[in-house]
Amino acid sequence: MGLLNKMLTAIRGGAREVGENIVDANGIRIFEQEINDAETELEKGKRDLTSVVAKEMEAKRNVANLTDEIVKHEKYAKDALDQKNEELALEVAQKIAELTSQLGIQVKAEESFKNHAAKLKDLIKKTQKSLASMKRELVMVKTTDSVQKATTAITSNYASSNSKLLSAKESLDRIQKRQQDLDDRLVAGGELYDEFEGKDLEAKLKDAGIVENDNSAQDILERLRSNKTGE
Amino acid sequence: MTEINKIANGLSDLHSNDNIAYPFEIQPIPGEVDILKITIEDMEELPVYVSVSDNQILCISYLFKEDEICNNDGSSLHDIMLKMNIPMPLSSFSKINDQYVIFGALSINSSINDIAHEIEILSENTLEAIETLKDYLK
């Protein structure tokens, strides 16, 4: 976390002046170059690994072939001895000795390529890990840089537009007041709507004779009369 | 066309296609980094700033400055902010210099609808956060 730490220390160092770069552009370039180098190294490591593994496989094949050959020749030697052909048996034995010494070389080669491949694999894993962490760090550094630059732009935009930077509470109060006004308007609007609609409807219902007309004198008398008879 | 222009055009297309859904006003801000200032209707005091970097789209809204915090209440304010952080949908708190902010980060491959949705939610969260934290502010 070298670069990121440096950057955070710089930010912690105090208020930044407008236009001042939080991250040294040169520092980023050097870091990007280091990442490129690590990537090249990684590619080379992978190619090396391929060729070492190929050589290991070849040695392994040689070991198998030589072992087969030796087994075969041991059988020839036995056959020659069975036929009491000492001269031929000796010749075959010499061949076996030669094959055995070749086998020894190939076994050693296989072992050595195997170790080499294991070491390369470890190295590649290590490089991949550190490469990933370098890339992550670069992203963090670049993002911080970009956010700092954005902040500078936003701040100077405020300054140039002459608008007063409100405190959070002032903003909240304004927005909530506007929302309250809107709510009030909606409620008032709703009441008016009901009123108009209601009146309209009542009038229509009266016209249709569904709702009775205003009490007439006749109706009142009628009601009073019926009340009396009921007593 | 740069990413930020695509976003600006996309957002204004959304607005003209359905001008009730996204009442955004979009204004580019000049500077070393491309930024869009998005003003949301009825939330003019709390704009959302959108910037694009190599790997992400950042939507940031400013909350308050350090000096707006009531005396010595910083640590209880931080405690509440940390506790709000996960329940708050899509947005998180951060601090740039002495400025507390709320932000959402999106993948560079986000659709314009995702970005519009993010801005809307961020704007709502901003108001909600200030409302919740107002007792700690001057």
Side-chain angles (χ1 to χ4, degrees), chain A residues 97-164:
Chain A
E98 203 180 295
L99 288 171
T100 308
S101 109
Q102 273 179 34
L103 177 68
I105 291 167
Q106 289 302 324
V107 167
K108 262 191 195 154
E110 190 195 344
E111 184 66 23
S112 136
F113 286 133
K114 204 174 171 177
N115 288 339
H116 194 176
K119 270 182 204 151
L120 271 177
K121 273 182 198 160
D122 283 348
L123 192 68
I124 286 169
K125 262 190 217 157
K126 222 174 108 189
T127 312
Q128 270 170 338
K129 257 193 191 162
S130 71
L131 195 59
S133 114
M134 281 162 98
K135 281 183 173 171
R136 209 166 42 237
E137 194 174 342
L138 184 66
V139 165
M140 288 166 86
V141 169
K142 278 187 160 177
T143 305
T144 309
D145 188 43
S146 151
V147 167
Q148 290 289 334
K149 282 175 179 162
T151 306
T152 306
I154 291 164
T155 313
S156 53
N157 178 260
Y158 262 111
S160 68
S161 66
N162 268 335
S163 51
K164 185 181 166 280

Side-chain angles (χ1 to χ4, degrees), chain B residues 73-120:
Chain B
D73 244 357
S75 71
S76 36
L77 173 73
H78 290 167
D79 188 59
I80 290 205
M81 288 174 86
L82 275 178
K83 284 172 182 161
M84 271 179 85
N85 228 4
I86 289 182
M88 191 165 53
L90 297 180
S91 313
S92 313
F93 292 122
S94 185
K95 200 179 172 191
I96 306 169
N97 305 332
D98 64 339
Q99 176 75 55
Y100 286 82
V101 302
I102 183 169
F103 76 100
L106 290 108
S107 149
I108 197 91
N109 303 315
S110 303
S111 75
I112 203 71
N113 276 306
D114 289 339
I115 299 170
H117 182 235
E118 170 66 37
I119 293 168
E120 237 181 0

Side-chain angles (χ1 to χ4, degrees), chain A residues 176-223:
Chain A
Q176 284 183 335
K177 182 166 184 312
R178 233 180 5 249
Q179 283 180 349
Q180 189 56 53
D181 286 352
L182 179 68
D183 286 349
D184 290 349
R185 275 207 307 280
L186 280 175
V187 169
E191 280 169 1
L192 282 176
Y193 180 82
D194 284 349
E195 211 173 295
F196 285 133
E197 277 295 288
K199 265 190 179 158
D200 200 32
L201 185 64
E202 204 183 336
K204 279 181 194 161
L205 287 171
K206 276 177 189 166
D207 288 348
I210 294 172
V211 170
E212 287 187 44
N213 263 318
D214 304 47
N215 289 343
S216 62
Q218 201 59 46
D219 292 337
I220 293 170
L221 272 181
E222 202 67 45
R223 184 162 49 82

Side-chain angles (χ1 to χ4, degrees), chain A residues 49-62:
Chain A
L49 180 63
T50 315
S51 88
V52 169
V53 169
K55 282 178 186 160
E56 184 196 336
M57 280 160 68
E58 194 192 341
K60 203 175 177 177
R61 229 174 12 249
N62 288 341

